[in-house]
Amino acid sequence: MALSKRTSQMDESINSTFASRYVQTSLPKFKMSENSIPKEAAYQIINDELMLDGNPRLNLASFVTTWMEPECDKLIMASINKNYVDMDEYPVTTELQNRCVNMIAHLFNAPFGDGETAVGVGTVGSSEAIMLAGLAFKRKWQNKMKAAGKPYDKPNIVTGANVQVCWEKFARYFEVELKEVKLRDGYYVMDPEKAVEMVDENTICVAAILGSTLNGEFEDVKRLNDLLTEKNKTTGWDTHIHVDAASGGFIAPFLYPELEWDFRLPLVKSINVSGHKYGLVYAGIGWVIWRSKDDLPDELIFHINYLGTDQPTFTLNFSKGSSQVIAQYYQFIRLGHEGYKNIMENCQGNATVLKEGLEKTGRFNIVSKDKGVPLVAFSLKDSSRHSEFEVSDLLRRFGWIVPAYTMPPDAQHVTVLRVVIREDFSRTLAERLVGDIEKVLHELDNLPARVRMKLAGSEETAGSDDTVVNKIDIEEQRKITTAWKKFVADRKKTNGVC
């Protein structure tokens, strides 16, 4: 959640033209008003402000689902007032959650029999799921070190520098040292060899990413498992693996069923996945699955009875809505294995269309891999004139939200643009995006190159402490300023918003 801040100090009140039919005075922005207003006015005021938000369907920065079928929307609205945690009042909702956990556990090849129940829980997203999995690893490590009479106050976790910020949050909030494997040119995921080298007796687990946020690439969990198995044999340690499959957990089973990354690998003890990404549910649902009951310490599970019956709970929050759990179950029974496979194949096909379109321009290097999350990450071959950030900024003129960002250490000199291909991103939109990118490049090419002011040599200095700027650079800067002013003025004339 973003920290609260005021976006403007100039206007402390809200004024709405339409609301004036009901309200003659403006409303304070940052304090609750003294009087009530009609419901129609409240709706209109909020609706007017929300019109300035971006279009979720054109937000290509996000992995989160932005479209679901109308039938599922109806189920969501019908259950929006149900509190998920009240299991005694809503036993069917609880049963649907348990079914989802078991379906996902089977999908991830958890080793349990037909008569056994999977171990897992629904969360508000992969961030909470990762916190819970990390706490389980930390507590098991602490118990092991206590039993051996060894210090247990300096746990660490090994990850790649490409991990999502929730791993940094876990490390900081729960006092675990984060040991990151640095990236390098052309290799933007965790190197298994380097990761295992960083493992020591205080390592609670190694976190592997199935679908890097940066370029969609799957890390080599099989190689990590094999190397860590050998190190455990040599050292006598018992270090395990958690797989962060937030993005790739609902992709790999359908597109790459032969890929070994899940509970088929003996050292993988827990997996998280985001239902609100390629699980195809709106924001607010994630899942964490454990290999067996032995991998989730009993002391982390709380039991409450004041809602009716004894209820076990292992979450960071308490109350939350039931609608996303119900929506996830809808998708599982509605689509089945066949439906998910078709959707993922279609997403991958559209990613290929976009990738090939970008390659045909001759202007970009493709940073993403063919095998991974259906996204396209790309960078300019020549960024001496204009940057990826400028491309990202100008694409907003066409409604597209395409992020530009720098890679983590030690590849922070690499800047990329990234387009996430979701279910609602069609081939037509992919082709349109390529066309708009070409228009942006054409506009940028017609502008003078960026110029950095250079300091003149000693022969042009006015004195020992004074530096004179090269006159040629000053003139060039003036030309650039003039060109930008003309460009902005032309845009105001020709690019109205309908």
Side-chain angles (χ1 to χ4, degrees):
M1 180 179 292
L3 296 178
S4 174
K5 65 178 182 180
R6 295 191 179 190
T7 57
S8 172
Q9 297 294 334
M10 298 185 65
D11 189 357
E12 298 287 328
S13 61
I14 300 173
N15 294 281
S16 172
T17 300
F18 298 109
S20 63
R21 291 172 178 263
Y22 314 99
V23 183
Q24 296 300 318
T25 58
S26 59
L27 299 173
K29 280 185 179 178
F30 305 110
K31 294 188 297 183
M32 188 179 293
S33 61
E34 293 295 328
N35 301 315
S36 302
I37 64 174
K39 60 182 183 295
E40 297 87 353
Y43 170 83
Q44 193 67 58
I45 289 171
I46 297 172
N47 185 67
D48 286 355
E49 288 206 70
L50 289 176
M51 287 194 302
L52 299 177
D53 267 349
N55 184 340
R57 295 280 299 277
L58 299 182
N59 179 9
L60 307 183
S62 177
F63 292 82
V64 175
T65 296
T66 55
W67 178 86
M68 296 187 75
E69 292 175 325
E71 290 77 10
C72 192
D73 288 344
K74 292 178 183 178
L75 288 172
I76 289 173
M77 292 308 299
S79 58
I80 203 166
N81 59 350
K82 291 182 180 179
N83 188 358
Y84 163 83
V85 78
D86 197 344
M87 302 177 188
D88 190 54
E89 280 294 319
Y90 309 117
V92 176
T93 300
T94 302
E95 171 62 18
L96 297 187
Q97 190 248 200
N98 294 337
R99 292 179 192 176
C100 288
V101 166
N102 280 270
M103 288 179 181
I104 297 170
H106 278 292
L107 195 64
F108 295 168
N109 295 291
F112 62 94
D114 292 336
E116 296 179 298
T117 301
V119 181
V121 66
T123 62
V124 294
S126 274
S127 292
E128 184 189 6
I130 284 168
M131 304 286 174
L132 298 178
L135 285 171
F137 277 113
K138 182 181 179 182
R139 183 56 57 91
K140 282 185 67 68
W141 173 82
Q142 288 175 326
N143 291 342
K144 179 182 67 176
M145 297 298 279
K146 287 178 183 178
K150 296 180 179 180
Y152 54 91
D153 59 336
K154 294 182 178 180
N156 68 67
I157 187 169
V158 176
T159 72
N162 58 310
V163 292
Q164 214 260 2
V165 69
C166 59
W167 284 101
E168 297 177 45
K169 289 181 179 179
F170 165 74
R172 188 178 301 178
Y173 295 166
F174 297 105
E175 298 181 320
V176 177
E177 179 190 359
L178 186 66
K179 300 171 73 172
E180 292 185 331
V181 178
K182 303 301 182 185
L183 310 185
R184 61 179 186 271
D185 274 346
Y187 199 89
Y188 304 119
V189 293
M190 181 178 69
D191 186 329
E193 282 80 5
K194 292 183 178 179
V196 173
E197 288 175 5
M198 297 176 73
V199 170
D200 58 33
E201 192 175 15
N202 292 327
T203 301
I204 63 174
C205 75
V206 180
I209 312 298
L210 193 78
S212 172
T213 301
L214 302 176
N215 69 344
E217 186 175 352
F218 292 166
E219 292 182 347
D220 193 344
V221 187
K222 176 69 165 60
R223 177 67 175 156
L224 176 65
N225 180 87
D226 294 344
L227 291 171
L228 199 52
T229 298
E230 290 301 317
K231 184 156 190 173
N232 284 342
K233 289 180 180 178
T234 304
T235 60
W237 301 335
D238 191 25
T239 308
H240 297 125
I241 298 170
H242 173 85
V243 179
D244 179 357
S247 299
F250 285 119
I251 294 170
F254 305 108
L255 293 184
Y256 316 107
E258 77 289 344
L259 182 66
E260 294 185 51
W261 63 273
D262 52 19
F263 292 120
R264 285 171 287 182
L265 303 175
L267 292 186
V268 173
K269 298 298 182 180
S270 54
I271 300 171
N272 70 274
V273 64
S274 290
H276 59 219
K277 292 182 180 178
Y278 289 96
L280 307 179
V281 177
Y282 294 136
I285 185 68
W287 305 92
V288 57
I289 310 296
W290 283 271
R291 185 183 194 88
S292 68
K293 292 181 180 179
D294 294 337
D295 299 307
L296 177 57
D298 287 335
E299 61 262 38
L300 294 179
I301 301 174
F302 291 84
H303 292 265
I304 60 171
N305 62 10
Y306 61 80
L307 292 178
T309 60
D310 179 71
Q311 300 174 7
T313 175
F314 179 40
T315 57
L316 294 182
N317 65 304
F318 195 64
S319 295
K320 70 173 182 178
S322 298
S323 54
Q324 262 65 15
V325 172
I326 294 169
Q328 184 74 84
Y329 185 68
Y330 171 90
Q331 293 290 46
F332 284 167
I333 66 171
R334 162 75 175 91
L335 296 173
H337 198 282
E338 177 190 25
Y340 270 95
K341 186 174 187 293
N342 290 340
I343 291 171
M344 301 312 156
E345 286 178 344
N346 189 55
C347 289
Q348 199 69 285
N350 290 336
T352 300
V353 169
L354 178 59
K355 173 191 168 188
E356 292 174 350
L358 293 171
E359 288 175 330
K360 286 179 181 178
T361 67
R363 304 289 295 273
F364 297 104
N365 291 316
I366 304 300
V367 178
S368 51
K369 304 295 183 182
D370 291 335
K371 193 173 187 177
V373 177
L375 62 78
V376 182
F378 52 102
S379 60
L380 287 166
K381 289 183 177 180
D382 180 11
S383 57
S384 61
R385 289 178 56 84
H386 305 290
S387 72
E388 289 83 358
F389 293 102
E390 289 172 287
V391 174
S392 173
D393 184 53
L394 287 183
L395 278 173
R396 284 181 176 264
R397 197 157 49 89
F398 298 93
W400 303 108
I401 302 174
V402 178
Y405 52 87
T406 55
M407 290 289 192
D410 286 330
Q412 59 266 43
H413 57 284
V414 178
T415 304
V416 299
L417 294 148
R418 187 195 67 205
V419 174
V420 178
I421 309 299
R422 300 188 302 270
E423 178 187 9
D424 56 354
F425 187 80
S426 66
R427 185 160 302 198
T428 301
L429 287 176
E431 294 168 350
R432 180 63 179 268
L433 176 59
V434 172
D436 289 342
I437 289 174
E438 290 180 314
K439 292 176 185 177
V440 165
L441 292 174
H442 179 72
E443 290 186 9
L444 289 173
D445 288 342
N446 289 328
L447 293 173
R450 294 169 300 167
V451 173
R452 293 182 179 178
M453 301 297 286
K454 298 180 180 180
L455 297 178
S458 58
E459 68 275 11
E460 296 180 346
T461 56
S464 58
D465 295 325
D466 297 325
T467 304
V468 179
V469 178
N470 191 309
K471 293 182 179 180
I472 296 176
D473 285 341
I474 294 176
E475 290 299 319
E476 189 66 26
Q477 188 67 28
R478 287 174 180 167
K479 291 179 182 179
I480 293 172
T481 302
T482 302
W484 267 110
K485 286 181 179 178
K486 183 177 183 302
F487 175 71
V488 173
D490 289 342
R491 284 178 61 188
K492 288 182 178 178
K493 294 176 184 177
T494 60
N495 292 299
V497 178
C498 297

